[in-house]
Amino acid sequence: MTDKLDLRPLATGVPGLDTILGGGLPELSFNIIGGAPGSGKTTFAQQIMFGLATPQRRALFFTAMGEPPVKMLRYQQQFSFFDFDKVGDAVNFISLAAQVEEGNYDAVLAQILEEVRMHSPSLVFIDSFRSFMQGARGDQQEVAALQTFVQRLVAHMTTWNATSFLIGEYTTNEADQNPIFTVADGLIWLNQYVHRNAMSRKLQVIKMRGQQQRPGLHAFRIGDAGIEIFPRILPAPEPIGAVPPLKEPVGLLSSGVPALDEMFGGGIPAGYSVLLVGPTGSGKTLLSTEFLAAGAAAGEKGVIALFERSPSQIMNEKLDAIVRSGQVAMMSVRALDLSVDEMLHELSGMIDATGATRVVLDSLSGFELAMAPEYREDFRESLYRMATVLGAKGVTVLMTSEMEDRYQELRFSPYGNAVLVDAVIMQRYVESQSELSTVISVIKVRGRKHSRQIRTFEITDDGEVRIGQGPAPFDGVLLGSPHARHS
């Protein structure tokens, strides 16, 4: 045999899945979809089926479950991917429940083979395959018959001129124990994790022959449209042995506050990631607003992502005006099961759609709280990926971060992420004559000379930000310094 068989990748219609698979689902492949009860296996399989099925590419969906197909369809019809016009023509549902209940595996196999012969389908789904395994009542002869049935069924499925799927309540641990997994071309696992009141869902492609899939666990959600997957976004790898080029800013951007631009040495370098850190109430959001307003005044588009408060709680007149004008798009996220990839997909989509060059993330503290608990363990790695991916898009990013009021130490970030950004601005409180005042300083600007002065920071009654023109003339002490007075 010298002719190369070209197996076309099939576009599944499940958002994000083709990216993970490496371009689509290999035609004529034999696949297993596994996962715990309630993880979304049937919805996932039917979304693929309705996305691929046509009058020329017909599908058979066998159900071995005790519930009748009409009950299953009653719920699947709630998803927008369900197409009534395809049922009975491009898509046919067949129940195997009666034969499975009797344990008559020869009859089950005969019915499957006869339906496949009659319809000549291009797509075959069997759900739930685990029902066959549970049908065995423990009798040694019956168990042997079941094993023979499984082997014969899998042998047939791998030779059909169709893309086929077995769907079952398997766990990833069984992949090393069950022989049917070794003959499968593709293994796809759906998982769900519950921590207190938060739940997150993840998908993993364990195996996909003939193409390079994207590794790792990928977050997904089940909504009115079905399943949407958010592939892990990773920074582009550097060639082995290559020396990365120095980050050279293409220009300087105004922060919206002339005195702060002066402290930066002329402005914020375009394309830089900036961390604005300070205690609660120090004016981080207002300073971020000035950054976006300066861009809007220069004809630039912006995006602000809010992670801890609703827009009604955070909006000021200036921010409200630039959002209403269309110069700045707003993304509000307060979910307790957010993944960094889900956020990056939405944020990247808004940046691409608007052509934004300035992005504000307010705040990292709220972002951490919005994430699912298992993501918080790798929050620093998530911040690195986020800063790298946004940096590759060429946008200038201003991230705010809340600092705890600690009186015995001085820190620039609660996550140790100051090394991940190009510039750091710090706000602190000053205790003087029984009053609190705010000061600001530029801690770091990568590759540029900048002012290290500590200057006064004030927000006027009309919401204007004012920064002193020189070192702060105070006789008090910085809260957090070794000399601070504390009780």
Side-chain angles (χ1 to χ4, degrees), residues 339-385:
S339 74
V340 65
D341 296 294
E342 183 176 355
M343 188 279 294
L344 274 176
H345 274 278
E346 184 173 353
L347 184 59
S348 296
M350 294 186 73
I351 292 171
D352 294 339
T354 61
T357 57
R358 298 188 183 211
V359 175
V360 168
L361 306 180
D362 188 23
S363 68
L364 296 183
S365 309
F367 178 37
E368 182 187 22
L369 291 175
M371 295 177 70
E374 66 269 15
Y375 294 114
R376 296 175 195 167
E377 298 176 1
D378 302 318
F379 189 60
R380 192 165 184 265
E381 183 266 343
S382 298
L383 290 179
Y384 168 73
R385 286 202 292 132

Side-chain angles (χ1 to χ4, degrees), residues 25 136 162 194 238 338 371 430 434:
L25 190 70
V194 178
E238 296 286 347
L338 184 71
M371 295 177 70
V430 174
S434 300

Side-chain angles (χ1 to χ4, degrees), residues 137-145 147:
R137 298 173 178 82
D139 179 81
Q140 187 173 2
Q141 184 177 357
E142 186 173 2
V143 172
Q147 292 175 341

Side-chain angles (χ1 to χ4, degrees), residues 101-354:
E101 278 284 324
E102 296 173 0
N104 190 344
Y105 302 115
D106 288 336
V108 173
L109 183 60
Q111 182 178 358
I112 292 175
L113 295 180
E114 178 62 19
E115 296 289 353
V116 169
R117 186 192 64 80
M118 289 176 54
H119 293 89
S120 297
S122 299
L123 303 163
V124 179
F125 298 79
I126 300 180
D127 181 23
S128 155
F129 186 68
R130 193 59 177 263
S131 299
F132 295 122
M133 311 301 293
Q134 294 172 341
R137 298 173 178 82
D139 179 81
Q140 187 173 2
Q141 184 177 357
E142 186 173 2
V143 172
L146 174 62
Q147 292 175 341
T148 301
F149 160 76
V150 171
Q151 293 171 359
R152 292 171 62 193
L153 175 61
V154 171
H156 282 292
M157 294 186 75
T158 56
T159 58
W160 287 338
N161 191 33
T163 307
S164 52
F165 302 82
L166 290 181
I167 305 154
E169 294 171 357
Y170 294 104
T171 65
T172 52
N173 295 332
E174 294 182 73
D176 298 329
Q177 304 170 3
N178 198 315
I180 69 171
F181 294 105
T182 62
V183 299
D185 301 307
L187 299 176
I188 304 174
W189 252 254
L190 283 70
N191 302 287
Q192 57 185 1
Y193 304 89
V194 178
H195 182 81
R196 295 182 180 175
N197 292 327
M199 184 183 72
S200 60
R201 302 178 187 269
K202 296 179 183 178
L203 179 145
Q204 183 180 12
V205 179
I206 306 292
K207 168 185 176 183
M208 190 57 61
R209 282 179 177 154
Q211 55 196 51
Q212 184 176 0
Q213 72 271 18
R214 186 171 295 190
L217 297 170
H218 308 274
F220 74 92
R221 285 187 181 275
I222 302 178
D224 293 340
I227 285 178
E228 181 178 7
I229 305 170
F230 306 95
R232 292 187 73 230
I233 298 179
L234 300 172
E238 296 286 347
I240 297 177
V243 178
L246 293 175
K247 190 169 187 177
E248 297 183 2
V250 296
L252 298 176
L253 305 178
S254 173
S255 66
V257 182
L260 183 57
D261 294 340
E262 177 193 340
M263 296 173 72
F264 264 91
I268 299 175
Y272 268 34
S273 55
V274 182
L275 177 65
L276 172 58
V277 61
T280 182
S282 59
K284 298 183 295 295
T285 299
L286 285 175
L287 192 54
S288 302
T289 299
E290 296 293 339
F291 170 71
L292 292 172
E300 299 178 58
K301 297 286 188 177
V303 171
I304 181 170
L306 307 177
F307 294 108
E308 57 185 25
R309 288 169 288 180
S310 65
S312 61
Q313 293 175 304
I314 203 170
M315 293 293 279
N316 52 67
E317 290 186 8
K318 184 171 288 188
L319 182 57
D320 181 66
I322 55 179
V323 169
R324 289 181 181 276
S325 70
Q327 287 294 109
V328 172
M330 178 175 290
M331 183 177 87
S332 180
V333 181
R334 301 187 68 192
L336 294 178
D337 55 359
L338 184 71
S339 74
V340 65
D341 296 294
E342 183 176 355
M343 188 279 294
L344 274 176
H345 274 278
E346 184 173 353
L347 184 59
S348 296
M350 294 186 73
I351 292 171
D352 294 339
T354 61

